[in-house]
Amino acid sequence: MPDTRTTPTSATQTLADSLTIVDNRTGSRYKLPITDGTLRAADLRHIRVSEDDFGLMAYDPGLTNTASCRSGITRLDGERGVLEHRGYPIEQLAERSTYLEVAYLLVHGELPSSRQYEDWVEAVTHHTYVHENVKSFISGFRYDAHPMGILQASVAALSTFYPDSARLDDPDIVREQVVRIIAKMPTIAAFAYRHSRGLPYIYPDNDLTYTGNFLSMLWKFSEPSYAPDPRVERALDVLWILHADHEQNCSTSAVRSVGSSRVDPYSAIAAGIAALYGPLHGGANEAVIQMLRGIERPEAVPAFVAGVKRGDERLMGFGHRVYRNYDPRAAIIKKSTMDVLDATGGNPLLEVATELERIALEDDYFISRKLYPNVDFYSGLIYQALGIPAEMFTVMFAIPRASGWVAQWLEMQGDPEQKITRPRQVYVGAPRRDYVDFAHRTGDRP
Ligand code: ACO
């Protein structure tokens, strides 16, 4: 007779909040609780064929259908094109907030009072300087070192400058590292850029805004103080609001995974930078620029789109793993692109981009597959208009994402359910066998 085994349920759970599974190997039935639309993967372990069986596991390469945490930071609804931070829609934040305020919101969970905001801006502004030795070791990189490599190594190295950062049990020390990370990212990023151009490093200017100071560290020459164009400063601020967090993406998962070992936050954030470095994650905006350059003229767009539909190419900057609707960030970025191009005098690729978007959005190939512009369709155009070279594009993404990474890292540290990340595997290698001496091995290995 098949038996029914119930995995532990809470007192409030009803039959409706559960899933009944029949194991056809044994005939046993199991009732697994459902909470927030999820099963606890560990509950599957109760499903066994024998006492010494390890129990059933979920197999999910790429974790495409696995929730690894409960999070109150960012809500993303890809079907409806919704993105909210701590409940606030991204459209309102981009319109009315500043990047540093959004960073505060992500980290603290609430919008700051005006006093809290002033203190926060002051704290971040006064931590923008880096130790002189950071400057020296950036100078030690090869002249053509990729700025993402420099950023990653330098952020990791900050843990050696602040050994206290390993003390995760002291909230004051933790808070100081959070401020330092957000404050020093633009400085290290700008130094990495100046290094690649053989230019002297420019120290932070504490009279400027967060983005204004970054522009100064990139572009200042011999003038006593750099005066950023307010339109460019604001457009960059909006761009950084849009990139601040995007829930459990590859780099954020890397930060959480590495941080779960309770290593210091610099080492965890450096892991996020490493993940973002990869072309499948942070590199799409550069590919958009290459694509637009290849198309060259608006008149050539129909032929390019026909090639995409034949499967000869991919329309870069279109489509998204999660969004099956217009990426809400893309609409906002389009407006910022216009503002920047107004200030910088235009970009011939913009015409190609707008024509490409127009034709694609009217074409059944893209409509039926729910392919819409994503955040990267226009961001490369902005960076290009600002004179930022392609190898810096991912660095420009990493600077604002640091606030999302630290917010997620903090949330994980305070979550009593979290454990060190340690997935299981399905072993498909050789069965147990005995070691063989060289003399008795046959053939050369490939
Ligand atoms: N151009 C042409 N066709 C596309 C595109 C595209 N950009 N994206 C998806 N498709 C097609 C696929 O070929 C597939 O067609 P089929 O059903 O005939 O086989 C269909 O649309 C569905 O695509 P999926 O396989 O569901 O898309 P997936 O979720 O695997 O990929 C991805 C998402 C990788 C972002 C993809 O859309 C893509 O390569 N886009 C271009 C690269 C890009 O812009 N990446 C940036 C993403 S945003 C970010 O990372 C910050």
Side-chain angles (χ1 to χ4, degrees), residues 61-101:
L63 304 179
T64 57
N65 195 40
T66 295
S68 60
C69 61
R70 301 170 71 82
S71 179
I73 300 173
T74 291
R75 188 173 87 86
L76 203 165
D77 181 339
E79 291 300 321
R80 292 180 184 77
V82 171
L83 174 62
E84 294 164 357
H85 294 314
R86 304 283 190 188
Y88 296 102
I90 191 69
E91 293 80 2
Q92 292 181 24
L93 294 172
E95 175 82 26
R96 298 168 60 186
S97 186
T98 63
Y99 168 69
L100 277 189
E101 189 183 45

Side-chain angles (χ1 to χ4, degrees), residues 281 284 314-319 321 324 365 369 371 374 376:
H281 191 8
R314 202 140 254 247
L315 176 43
M316 300 311 288
F318 260 63
R321 174 53 62 80
R324 299 299 178 196
Y365 175 94
R369 289 170 177 77
L371 299 174
N374 60 51
D376 282 331

Side-chain angles (χ1 to χ4, degrees), residues 431-444:
R432 187 201 151 96
R433 48 190 168 161
D434 290 325
Y435 182 81
V436 181
D437 293 331
F438 279 120
H440 296 98
R441 290 177 207 167
T442 49
D444 285 332

Side-chain angles (χ1 to χ4, degrees), residues 139-152:
S139 307
F141 279 94
R142 269 179 59 125
Y143 72 96
D144 59 352
H146 196 289
M148 268 306 257
I150 298 180
L151 183 71
Q152 186 199 345

